[in-house]
Amino acid sequence: VQLMESGGGLVQPGGSLRLSCAASGFTLTSSALSWARQAPGKGLEWVSGISSDGSTFYADSVKGRATISRDNAKNTVYLQMNSLKPEDTAVYYCATTPGRSVVPATLHEHNYWGQGTQVTVSS
């Protein structure tokens, strides 16, 4: 099982980024996946999740600015982030538990994580 994030970078406030999480070794159509982030000096924060049936969920901090989606053919989940703010600066991770169809209540319940991708929002 592997998760590979990409798409991070430096963006100005108000800009947009699309993060990708490419999965291998299991099928996302049977597994929920979460995006989480860790800002400098802070703990891990859950950002968004998508269940195996395609139901989507968002943290209040990104609701209305983020869209999570899945491309079944590519076995990849995306996180589109718009209207980015400096407080969105963080390392973004995707995480999953193969075979678990619903987004878990806590991040600790995911047992596979990607290596992370840095998002920096600054002028």
Side-chain angles (χ1 to χ4, degrees):
V1 173
Q2 278 196 318
L3 297 172
M4 182 72 71
E5 302 97 337
S6 61
L10 174 64
V11 62
Q12 292 188 342
S16 298
L17 279 176
R18 188 178 79 158
L19 307 181
S20 301
C21 175
S24 60
F26 71 103
T27 304
L28 283 170
T29 53
S30 61
S31 305
L33 184 138
S34 295
W35 281 97
R37 66 188 181 185
Q38 186 163 28
K42 296 190 177 181
L44 206 57
E45 174 191 17
W46 178 82
V47 174
S48 180
I50 183 166
S51 296
S52 60
D53 67 357
S55 299
T56 59
F57 308 89
Y58 301 94
D60 288 343
S61 58
V62 301
K63 198 170 291 183
R65 300 188 297 121
T67 302
I68 189 170
S69 61
R70 187 176 68 212
D71 184 328
N72 295 336
K74 295 183 178 179
N75 211 33
T76 297
V77 170
Y78 303 99
L79 182 68
Q80 176 72 40
M81 296 280 293
N82 300 322
S83 303
L84 283 161
K85 306 174 183 180
E87 51 263 43
D88 293 317
T89 295
V91 178
Y92 284 71
Y93 300 91
C94 57
T96 192
T97 304
R100 179 167 184 161
S101 60
V102 297
V103 177
T106 63
L107 289 168
H108 308 97
E109 297 176 63
H110 281 314
N111 53 15
Y112 286 95
W113 291 74
Q115 84 291 345
T117 186
Q118 176 72 47
V119 172
T120 303
V121 184
S122 175
S123 54

